Amino acid sequence: MQQCVSKPAMYGCLRCYFQQSYKNLDQRGMASRRAFHSQVLSSLTSTPPPASVAYNRHRKRSFTQCAAATQYKEDPTKSVGRLILLDAFALLYRSHFGWKDVRLNAKTGEDTGILFAFVRTVFDLLELEPPPTHFAVVFDAAGHTFSDESQISPEIRPPEEFIDPSAYRPPASPARPARLEPTTQRHEMFPLYKAQRSPTPPAVTEGARQVRDLIRVMGIPEIIIPGVEADDAIGTLAIRGIREGFHVAIASPDKDFFQLLQPGLQLLRPPKKDYKGPLLANMVPYTAQSFIDEWGMQPSQFRDYLALAGDAVDNVPGAKGIGPKTATQLIQQFGDIDSIMAHAHEHSLPRVRSKLTSPEVGPQVRLCKKLVTIQTDVDLPPIRFPMDFLALQPPSDATKKATKAALAHYEFVQHAKRLNSIWGNMQQASVSKVEGEASGWHSAVKPASELVQS
């Protein structure tokens, strides 16, 4: 095992904890050091390390410096399934601005550019090898945050409620118009949260209607929970999936999901124009280790980074005068917000020291951390349902007929040619679920030059 570079007395990482815990093996009923290692490391594959085991949060400085604490990796070849969670509105917005100058229109006059880009992303994910066994498209919804679950009406329905198998006719208007900005607990904590955003462009609203209509026809589960942001629904399902043994991928351009990265979970982000690295489903795969290599901090510390540097996308102010570079340095030196504020007077630069010791900075950065923290404990339906409610099922003849009719209506000829491959993947995924073991997508990552763009 690699030697820990932190001070042994600080117990800053698993290595240090192991060293200091051997003397307690008899009380724990452990027969050997190997048994102790095995028990602790096994627990890390399904749940985050308890603070008493992995590190003390007030002493995370030594943890961030210790390479031995990040060496353990989950075996990517074994899991009970492969779950993909797609952040709908984030990708809809990206599709909108990606097609801003060039619009696609069907013969009916409908603007189909956003839908075309969105469907291409969905199909890329469904064509992954090995294929996903579980899938969900998660939307934001309008509404307040409810403490009484009887007041909410989550939208997740089987496609039979929406389609006529004999033909496809798009609805004249959505039953429940999609809206981007829900009123949530974050708005109650900070009324200016996302306040700078312009109203949802009509093209995005129309694209959301088209997307929801089409995925219902295809039998792909959708999740909309009033009062719950899509980020929190995705975060809860992702962590729950890992604990239940799934290999999880989140498809979203939202950088906030970096904070969730851990063994068994990866984030798929659309590539920038100059990106030349490996791609997975034409998206950039981020793992916990690749994030550490690029950002120089643990994924869980990304919340502290955003709390200090701010997030203009969500109108989170951060600490005035603290930019990304200084925020990174503070996190690498002290670890988290609590430690940074406790040692603010120790900073070598007078400018930074004066800003951190300002009386209003402490409460503000702690509030910002709450705003940027993705909730992973949402206990509302349908999130609390068994994971089978997200399982992809081989399509029936009626579903196939309706899906072909839908793509023909929107004149998506190239997408229609991919249906047989996608339906074959769904059949393969259902077989792997029956067998009870599924591999991850690590082996599917290929250089961008080897991928055929659709």
Side-chain angles (χ1 to χ4, degrees):
M1 180 178 289
Q2 182 173 344
Q3 180 63 36
C4 175
V5 298
S6 62
K7 297 180 181 179
M10 296 181 70
Y11 316 141
C13 67
L14 289 175
R15 167 73 170 176
C16 304
Y17 178 77
F18 288 154
Q19 290 177 335
Q20 298 299 323
S21 299
Y22 290 147
K23 62 183 179 181
N24 298 323
L25 292 181
D26 291 339
Q27 290 88 333
R28 293 175 180 269
M30 298 293 176
S32 65
R33 297 183 180 187
R34 183 183 298 273
F36 181 72
H37 275 272
S38 177
Q39 183 187 46
V40 176
L41 291 180
S42 295
S43 68
L44 296 183
T45 64
S46 57
T47 59
S52 60
V53 174
Y55 55 89
N56 183 308
R57 66 185 180 89
H58 297 294
R59 291 172 174 170
K60 199 182 290 186
R61 177 179 180 181
S62 58
F63 176 78
T64 61
Q65 296 173 346
C66 178
T70 61
Q71 280 198 325
Y72 176 75
K73 296 182 180 179
E74 181 190 53
D75 181 359
T77 63
K78 294 182 179 180
S79 65
V80 300
R82 295 172 297 274
L83 168 64
I84 291 181
L85 301 167
L86 193 149
D87 186 0
F89 265 114
L91 288 168
L92 281 168
Y93 254 80
R94 191 178 190 279
S95 300
H96 168 66
F97 289 107
W99 290 84
K100 190 173 183 180
D101 299 327
V102 181
R103 311 305 298 186
L104 293 180
N105 293 281
K107 293 179 181 179
T108 58
E110 292 177 274
D111 185 343
T112 58
I114 293 178
L115 178 63
F116 180 88
F118 194 96
V119 172
R120 180 174 59 185
T121 298
V122 172
F123 281 15
D124 286 343
L125 294 169
L126 290 174
E127 285 184 327
L128 278 172
E129 292 295 343
T133 59
H134 296 67
F135 200 104
V137 181
V138 186
F139 290 85
D140 291 290
H144 295 277
T145 300
F146 299 109
S147 57
D148 180 3
E149 67 183 65
S150 65
Q151 299 180 30
I152 73 169
S153 178
E155 299 184 28
I156 175 167
R157 312 172 188 173
E160 288 74 19
E161 297 183 23
F162 297 92
I163 64 172
D164 174 3
S166 63
Y168 172 77
R169 297 289 185 274
S173 60
R176 299 186 182 187
R179 177 183 165 194
L180 182 61
E181 304 299 343
T183 301
T184 65
Q185 291 179 340
R186 293 181 178 89
H187 292 90
E188 296 173 1
M189 291 188 292
F190 185 59
L192 296 179
Y193 178 68
K194 296 185 178 181
Q196 89 290 4
R197 294 189 178 183
S198 303
T200 305
V204 174
T205 302
E206 176 63 13
R209 179 194 67 80
Q210 295 170 337
V211 166
R212 293 182 61 191
D213 184 40
L214 183 57
I215 63 174
R216 290 167 180 171
V217 169
M218 294 184 64
I220 297 175
E222 65 167 326
I223 296 178
I224 302 178
I225 307 178
V228 177
E229 289 192 62
D231 290 8
D232 299 327
I234 291 173
T236 300
L237 285 169
I239 299 304
R240 179 185 165 194
I242 292 173
R243 291 174 177 171
E244 294 186 14
F246 285 83
H247 185 92
V248 181
I250 298 173
S252 173
D254 192 343
K255 63 182 180 300
D256 290 355
F257 288 112
F258 280 143
Q259 63 189 266
L260 300 180
L261 291 174
Q262 55 188 281
L265 188 152
Q266 59 183 312
L267 174 63
L268 304 178
R269 305 187 73 203
K272 297 180 180 179
K273 290 183 179 180
D274 58 347
Y275 179 79
K276 297 181 181 180
L279 293 176
L280 187 62
N282 289 327
M283 305 182 83
V284 182
Y286 276 88
T287 62
Q289 189 57 54
S290 62
F291 173 83
I292 294 171
D293 295 339
E294 180 175 334
W295 288 80
M297 66 183 76
Q298 298 293 321
S300 60
Q301 293 174 313
F302 193 67
R303 301 171 299 168
D304 303 278
Y305 169 84
L306 292 176
L308 288 169
D311 185 2
V313 175
D314 293 336
N315 203 36
V316 176
K320 187 177 180 179
I322 302 296
K325 184 176 180 180
T326 303
T328 300
Q329 293 172 346
L330 289 170
I331 290 172
Q332 290 175 342
Q333 183 176 0
F334 298 108
D336 61 7
I337 292 296
D338 290 335
S339 297
I340 290 171
M341 301 311 301
H343 297 87
H345 60 282
E346 299 177 8
H347 201 280
S348 57
L349 296 178
R351 178 184 62 84
V352 177
R353 186 167 61 246
S354 64
K355 294 182 182 299
L356 293 178
T357 54
S358 177
E360 67 273 8
V361 169
Q364 178 163 307
V365 295
R366 289 184 174 90
L367 171 61
C368 291
K369 185 173 181 178
K370 291 181 181 179
L371 294 175
V372 302
T373 297
I374 295 176
Q375 302 300 314
T376 59
D377 58 354
V378 177
D379 188 22
L380 292 171
I383 294 178
R384 68 164 59 144
F385 295 167
M387 293 298 282
D388 285 347
F389 84 97
L390 298 180
L392 290 173
Q393 303 294 338
S396 63
D397 291 340
T399 299
K400 289 182 179 181
K401 186 175 181 179
T403 301
K404 290 179 178 179
L407 294 181
H409 171 83
Y410 291 115
E411 303 172 30
F412 291 167
V413 177
Q414 294 301 319
H415 290 341
K417 293 179 180 179
R418 305 170 67 180
L419 286 176
N420 287 335
S421 172
I422 290 169
W423 290 332
N425 271 11
M426 288 183 175
Q427 181 65 42
Q428 180 184 343
S430 65
V431 172
S432 66
K433 284 184 294 185
V434 172
E435 293 175 350
E437 182 175 303
S439 61
W441 293 291
H442 292 68
S443 59
V445 178
K446 299 178 180 180
S449 59
E450 297 181 14
L451 290 173
V452 177
Q453 302 294 330
S454 59

